Amino acid sequence: QPLVMPSFAFSWFELVSHRHFLPNLLLAPDRKGWSVAHELLIDYFLFLEPHLKRGQMTPAIKKLYEGTLRVLLVLLHDFPSFLVVYHLSFCNVIPDTCVQLRNLVLAASPKGMSPPDPFTPNLKIDLLPEIQQSP
């Protein structure tokens, strides 16, 4: 865990987010790897939290933050259901100042369900058929 050994944070995050590790965890049958991936990401966010709350980021933390944005963007594209299921716990550990991270987590919608275009003129949310479906 990065909290236990901060000097290993770069390598730890590289291992966890590797293209052969994280996708295989999330593609495990019956979502068996989801809880492990969730726990690993929560541990990482808990490590980043005090550094991101300060406002001033060192170059090293800035690189970790950029990597985190990229990994969340890949998760949003390839595994949006994972982010939907764990959005609450992710948002609880992501600092309020990290708007981009929060927006990536909250932008996820399950596959097959597309949110309505907010720029549609005269959009009435109450009249959309999807409003009757529970998430």
Side-chain angles (χ1 to χ4, degrees), residues 17-25:
S17 63
H18 193 271
R19 63 187 171 100
H20 291 299
F21 181 72
L22 190 59
N24 286 335
L25 266 181

Side-chain angles (χ1 to χ4, degrees), residues 45-65:
F45 287 140
L46 288 174
F47 165 74
L48 275 182
E49 184 181 23
H51 300 287
L52 297 176
K53 277 187 175 179
R54 272 191 234 138
Q56 292 288 353
M57 288 192 271
T58 64
I61 296 299
K62 190 170 185 175
K63 286 292 181 190
L64 281 173
Y65 180 74

Side-chain angles (χ1 to χ4, degrees), residues 17-120:
S17 63
H18 193 271
R19 63 187 171 100
H20 291 299
F21 181 72
L22 190 59
N24 286 335
L25 266 181
L26 297 174
L27 290 172
D30 299 325
R31 298 179 174 182
K32 288 183 180 176
W34 281 29
S35 61
V36 174
H38 172 253
E39 188 175 329
L40 290 171
L41 287 172
I42 290 292
D43 289 341
Y44 179 67
F45 287 140
L46 288 174
F47 165 74
L48 275 182
E49 184 181 23
H51 300 287
L52 297 176
K53 277 187 175 179
R54 272 191 234 138
Q56 292 288 353
M57 288 192 271
T58 64
I61 296 299
K62 190 170 185 175
K63 286 292 181 190
L64 281 173
Y65 180 74
E66 290 170 2
T68 307
L69 287 174
R70 289 180 180 166
V71 168
L72 280 182
L73 192 58
V74 169
L75 288 175
L76 177 64
H77 182 267
D78 296 342
F79 302 100
S81 297
F82 173 73
L83 291 176
V84 168
V85 170
Y86 294 110
H87 75 279
L88 189 60
S89 59
F90 287 148
C91 286
N92 282 340
V93 294
I94 295 174
D96 295 335
T97 56
C98 298
V99 177
Q100 284 180 316
L101 283 178
R102 284 176 168 260
N103 283 346
L104 282 174
V105 171
L106 295 174
S109 60
K111 286 196 178 201
M113 181 183 237
S114 59
D117 182 14
F119 299 111
T120 304

